[in-house]
Amino acid sequence: MCGFCCYFHFDNPEGVFPNLDLDSALEYIHHRGPDSRGKYVSPDGRCALGHVRLSIIDLAGGHQPLGNQSGDIQSVVNGELYDFERIRTELEAEGHKFKTLSDSEIALHLFEQYDMSFLEHLRGEFALCIWDSKKDRFIAARDRYGIKPLYYTVFNGTLLVASEIKSFIAMGWKPEWDVDSVLNNGFTFDNRTCFKGVYKLPPAHYLIANSTGSMEVRPYWDADYPDKNVKETRSVDDMVKGVREHLIEAVKHRLRADVPLGVYLSGGIDSSCIAGIASALLREKNPDAKLRAFSISFAESQKYDESQIAERTAKFCNADFQKLSLTEDDLLSNFEDSVWHVEQPQFNLNGVGKFLLSAFVRDQGYKVVLTGEGSDEHFGGYAFFHADYLREADHASPNGFGTLNDEQREARFNLFGKQGEFSNYSDNVFGDDVFSQKGDRTRRMVNNINTHTLLSKPLSVNEEYFSDSVLSQYGAPNPALTMAETINGMARYKANHKWHPLHTALYIENRTLLPNYLCNHLGDRSEMAHSIEARTPFMDHHFCEYVNQLPPSVKIRSEADGSLNEKWILKEAVKPYITDEIYNRTKHPYIAPSSKGRNPLTTDLINKLITKETIDNLGWANTEKIIQAKEKYLETNNSELFKDMLFMMSFVVLSQRFQVTPYSSTVQAAVAR
């Protein structure tokens, strides 16, 4: 697990390629790889690769960049590549000579062997760059679920690529706001960022650029789901067994490390079953083996504190349990640093909690943890998936297993939005108006599902906080449309003609919120801020391909009383590895409590970051409305207004730390003319 920053100069009339400050760029991401660093600069100066290393496998060797025997191909890799020893043996049989024992080197040799088809052989979480000097081409690629970050931009005729945006600063890039992205939440729902011209390489895609300036982004993999009208032929017992076997295999691959390994443990089934399976696998080799489990306690909020449940799970698994108890003051004191590392706005303090948990783990001498991210996006674990599960009958389920008749299904569908499960998400995560939305083009694009319309508004900046000039220029925000447009045309075709609505909802979640929020705020960026590598068995693509092909009603099972049992098949598959308490527990997402208000630290932070001067300096915000909202929050302690304060404070932190040029609608209008 590491970090990199690279540049690739396109042809220019002078034929001279400036030497950019790669050393300073690497210093910006030192936290990603404190163990060593290296760089490669091509003889003509056209391309440079820089790398910082967090050593996990082949501690003595494994330094990057890595080159082939002739030196005409160079690579840097961030992440973990699993089953690498088998692949290495196969490549050695083909005549390849390896310089290290690290997993990262297989990417270089697979590229030599298969050219651009090499990506189909990689299994794991990764981002990588390759310089092919023979063909004067630069290649960047990202794993199938966007677990590892990869950003790119073109500045002054040079392609810049890095694990974190802040590296670009040292190479001369000048940050500007992408106001349309801010307005429509492109930083959470598509491949844009907050910054103009800076993009995330989409999950399961590669970028290929050549010296003439040609640059393309192409997919190499995509998720698929079964035809909703084709009956499943496997028995339910066979499918349960298949989930169990694939998940055990995914966990087993992720236990390979040359350093101590732990697990992040909450009160939910996802991390609990990973802890249970990992503990069982470790004891197969060593009966005395003990996993160490790390958990967060929100001591001031009984509603959001799951540490007691996690501790009981740890005892069941015979794991050492370590708890980090956090207060509101802890979260608020680290808010600004967390935003700097995440490089996106925060709308809940849960990301700050993960940021602090990673520091806690690092301070105990650990570098690697297993986590439970990605389960809900494959098994329908959130309550907001229920409407799209109920939207159509499940004709694929064997012998109608887990389904309701049409009358029962429609009755349950009409109750959606009134169900108590939503209280698990926040006091009012979905406004009442969200449930009354009528079908519009954002829903017609994807077979009238509404998961994206439910998610888009509460996770975006309110329209009233944008200036009149911005709304006049860009129109009213429509983040739901951003989500619908993010998925490719073939996926939208399948959504309208092949997939069950639940699977369409899962696909959209997997292509938007999962890589851009869950793998970012709650994943890599909060973990690697403190040099922690997280491994995610639920996003093993072999496991996911199996789960995707299961019918909807084994994922969300309808019970005889009409209630919906989310992640049913996962519960059955992992039952031997979890407690009865976890087996019977309803999904509770990881959310930090809202501020209690009237806390001096809350007041001081808001008054420090939200002022007329700081908001005016953004250039695109309605200062008057935001100041009014601030005063109202300080009076009422309204949880929705606290979310708004977090959003706006985040933008101020980004503005100050990145020294973003204030947006000017006058300048933009002049450029447009």
Side-chain angles (χ1 to χ4, degrees):
M1 195 66 72
C2 312
F4 56 70
C5 48
C6 312
Y7 64 81
F8 176 62
H9 291 299
F10 298 129
D11 291 340
N12 61 67
E14 294 78 23
V16 177
F17 305 123
N19 183 22
L20 303 186
D21 190 357
L22 204 59
D23 290 317
S24 295
L26 290 171
E27 191 61 34
Y28 270 105
I29 58 170
H30 174 74
H31 51 275
R32 298 189 67 89
D35 295 331
S36 67
R37 70 174 60 181
K39 64 179 181 177
Y40 166 86
V41 180
S42 64
D44 62 357
R46 182 187 288 277
C47 182
L49 311 177
H51 187 269
V52 292
R53 184 181 184 218
L54 179 66
S55 53
I56 305 293
I57 291 176
D58 186 14
L59 305 186
H63 303 291
Q64 300 188 47
L66 291 161
N68 64 347
Q69 281 189 292
S70 61
D72 54 23
I73 299 174
Q74 300 286 330
S75 69
V76 286
V77 179
N78 166 32
E80 288 298 333
L81 303 175
Y82 303 114
D83 201 18
F84 71 94
E85 287 147 326
R86 176 189 61 81
I87 295 171
R88 176 193 176 101
T89 300
E90 292 174 356
L91 288 168
E92 285 175 331
E94 294 286 341
H96 290 262
K97 304 295 183 184
F98 284 76
K99 299 177 181 178
T100 76
L101 298 176
S102 77
D103 58 304
S104 297
E105 194 175 358
I106 65 167
L108 176 72
H109 290 276
L110 285 169
F111 177 74
E112 278 194 293
Q113 184 75 12
Y114 298 107
D115 202 82
M116 290 313 302
S117 293
F118 81 107
L119 290 162
E120 68 182 73
H121 298 272
L122 297 182
R123 179 179 192 172
E125 48 268 356
F126 61 85
L128 59 85
C129 295
I130 291 175
W131 162 236
D132 182 353
S133 62
K134 278 189 176 180
K135 296 186 177 180
D136 256 3
R137 60 178 177 169
F138 180 92
I139 296 141
R142 193 176 181 200
D143 66 67
R144 293 165 180 82
Y145 286 98
I147 304 164
K148 307 312 298 177
L150 197 157
Y151 298 92
Y152 69 96
T153 190
V154 175
F155 178 75
N156 286 346
T158 301
L159 172 64
L160 310 179
V161 178
S163 299
E164 298 187 14
I165 301 169
K166 55 181 67 71
S167 284
F168 297 156
I169 298 171
M171 294 189 279
W173 167 73
K174 305 297 182 187
E176 298 178 48
W177 294 115
D178 184 336
V179 175
D180 187 74
S181 177
V182 173
L183 185 72
N184 290 292
N185 206 349
F187 51 84
T188 304
F189 295 143
D190 67 21
N191 301 312
R192 291 174 290 177
T193 66
C194 293
F195 304 112
K196 186 176 180 180
V198 178
Y199 302 97
K200 299 168 287 224
L201 186 64
H205 282 67
Y206 64 89
L207 177 154
I208 185 165
N210 64 37
S211 57
T212 64
S214 171
M215 190 169 72
E216 292 185 69
V217 174
R218 302 172 182 168
Y220 66 87
W221 180 89
D222 202 3
D224 201 0
Y225 301 89
D227 188 319
K228 60 188 177 183
N229 293 311
V230 175
K231 185 70 72 176
E232 173 61 60
T233 57
R234 292 169 293 184
S235 72
V236 172
D237 286 344
D238 284 344
M239 290 186 279
V240 169
K241 181 182 177 184
V243 170
R244 182 185 302 120
E245 291 175 346
H246 281 82
L247 184 56
I248 290 172
E249 182 197 24
V251 173
K252 184 179 294 184
H253 280 301
R254 284 158 179 79
L255 292 176
R256 173 72 171 87
D258 295 337
V259 296
L261 181 146
V263 62
Y264 282 166
L265 187 59
S266 69
I269 189 173
D270 306 329
S271 62
S272 297
C273 73
I274 296 301
I277 292 170
S279 294
L281 290 171
L282 290 172
R283 285 196 296 271
E284 286 179 4
K285 292 185 176 181
N286 177 7
D288 298 322
K290 266 198 171 188
L291 193 65
R292 181 163 292 189
F294 301 96
S295 186
I296 292 176
S297 169
F298 295 122
E300 300 170 331
S301 176
Q302 185 175 356
K303 178 177 180 180
Y304 296 106
D305 185 12
E306 298 182 328
S307 62
Q308 292 183 8
I309 301 171
E311 187 168 7
R312 289 192 288 272
T313 294
K315 184 177 181 181
F316 173 82
C317 297
N318 193 31
D320 289 328
F321 182 74
Q322 300 291 321
K323 179 175 71 174
L324 174 64
S325 185
L326 296 176
T327 66
E328 181 182 330
D329 284 1
D330 294 326
L331 298 173
L332 293 169
S333 297
N334 288 274
F335 173 76
E336 294 176 76
D337 285 343
S338 175
V339 171
W340 165 246
H341 279 282
V342 169
E343 299 180 328
Q344 286 183 204
Q346 305 254 31
F347 52 81
N348 184 270
L349 293 173
N350 54 0
V352 188
K354 285 293 288 286
F355 176 78
L356 291 170
L357 180 62
S358 298
F360 177 70
V361 172
R362 176 205 60 197
D363 291 344
Q364 296 198 43
Y366 279 72
K367 288 183 177 182
V368 184
V369 292
L370 301 176
T371 76
E373 273 82 20
S375 169
D376 295 304
E377 290 72 24
H378 289 89
F379 291 100
Y382 297 118
F384 52 72
F385 288 132
H386 290 182
D388 291 326
Y389 166 68
L390 295 165
R391 192 169 301 282
E392 290 182 10
D394 178 7
H395 298 297
S397 185
N399 301 315
F401 177 86
T403 63
L404 298 170
N405 63 45
D406 284 345
E407 183 179 351
Q408 292 173 313
R409 179 176 58 81
E410 289 173 10
R412 176 71 189 187
F413 179 78
N414 291 331
L415 290 174
F416 182 72
K418 301 180 177 67
Q419 56 204 59
E421 293 97 319
F422 287 114
S423 65
N424 293 332
Y425 291 79
S426 82
D427 296 331
N428 186 27
V429 71
F430 303 125
D432 294 337
D433 60 316
V434 174
F435 295 105
S436 63
Q437 289 186 58
K438 304 299 181 184
D440 60 11
R441 63 176 176 149
T442 66
R443 293 180 58 187
R444 289 194 295 271
M445 288 172 70
V446 284
N447 196 24
N448 206 39
I449 70 161
N450 68 349
T451 288
H452 60 308
T453 61
L454 291 175
L455 289 172
S456 59
K457 185 175 179 180
L459 303 185
S460 302
V461 180
N462 288 337
E463 179 178 345
E464 64 180 317
Y465 297 143
F466 293 96
S467 68
D468 292 341
S469 60
V470 164
L471 294 174
S472 175
Q473 182 173 351
Y474 293 96
N478 191 347
L481 182 61
T482 301
M483 295 183 78
E485 289 182 337
T486 296
I487 67 172
N488 64 64
M490 284 303 298
R492 287 197 295 269
Y493 178 85
K494 291 176 181 178
N496 287 312
H497 299 282
K498 176 187 175 185
W499 295 341
H500 187 277
L502 172 65
H503 287 151
T504 299
L506 294 176
Y507 183 90
I508 290 179
E509 170 87 358
N510 271 281
R511 283 291 170 257
T512 57
L513 210 61
L514 179 63
N516 298 333
Y517 174 66
L518 296 171
C519 291
N520 193 59
H521 292 61
L522 305 182
D524 174 272
R525 309 307 294 280
S526 291
E527 293 147 356
M528 288 300 286
H530 299 292
S531 311
I532 295 297
E533 170 183 297
R535 299 179 175 182
T536 53
F538 283 112
M539 286 184 271
D540 179 275
H541 77 279
H542 292 279
F543 171 75
C544 295
E545 286 172 344
Y546 182 84
V547 173
N548 288 348
Q549 293 302 312
L550 302 175
S553 293
V554 300
K555 298 169 184 175
I556 301 178
R557 175 180 174 174
S558 300
E559 303 291 0
D561 62 359
S563 63
L564 300 180
N565 189 347
E566 83 279 349
K567 298 197 284 194
W568 177 84
I569 195 167
L570 176 64
K571 293 174 183 176
E572 298 304 311
V574 302
K575 195 171 183 180
Y577 302 100
I578 58 175
T579 64
D580 289 342
E581 177 182 27
I582 293 296
Y583 176 82
N584 292 306
R585 192 167 187 251
T586 303
K587 168 71 182 180
H588 287 247
Y590 166 61
I591 293 176
S594 178
S595 172
K596 297 190 299 294
R598 298 179 180 84
N599 176 342
L601 194 59
T602 307
T603 303
D604 290 347
L605 185 65
I606 291 176
N607 283 332
K608 169 190 170 184
L609 294 176
I610 299 183
T611 67
K612 184 179 187 306
E613 180 183 3
T614 58
I615 302 301
D616 280 348
N617 198 52
L618 298 176
W620 46 261
N622 187 324
T623 302
E624 181 181 356
K625 294 284 189 183
I626 292 167
I627 297 297
Q628 287 175 357
K630 164 188 160 179
E631 297 301 331
K632 186 175 181 182
Y633 168 71
L634 293 174
E635 291 174 7
T636 65
N637 188 34
N638 178 275
S639 61
E640 288 301 297
L641 287 175
F642 182 65
K643 180 200 73 176
D644 296 342
M645 295 301 100
L646 291 177
F647 259 130
M648 299 316 303
M649 288 193 295
S650 298
F651 285 118
V652 170
V653 171
L654 293 173
S655 171
Q656 293 174 344
R657 298 214 178 181
F658 277 88
Q659 298 183 22
V660 185
T661 302
Y663 173 79
S664 171
S665 57
T666 304
V667 171
Q668 295 299 317
V671 170
R673 288 196 295 270

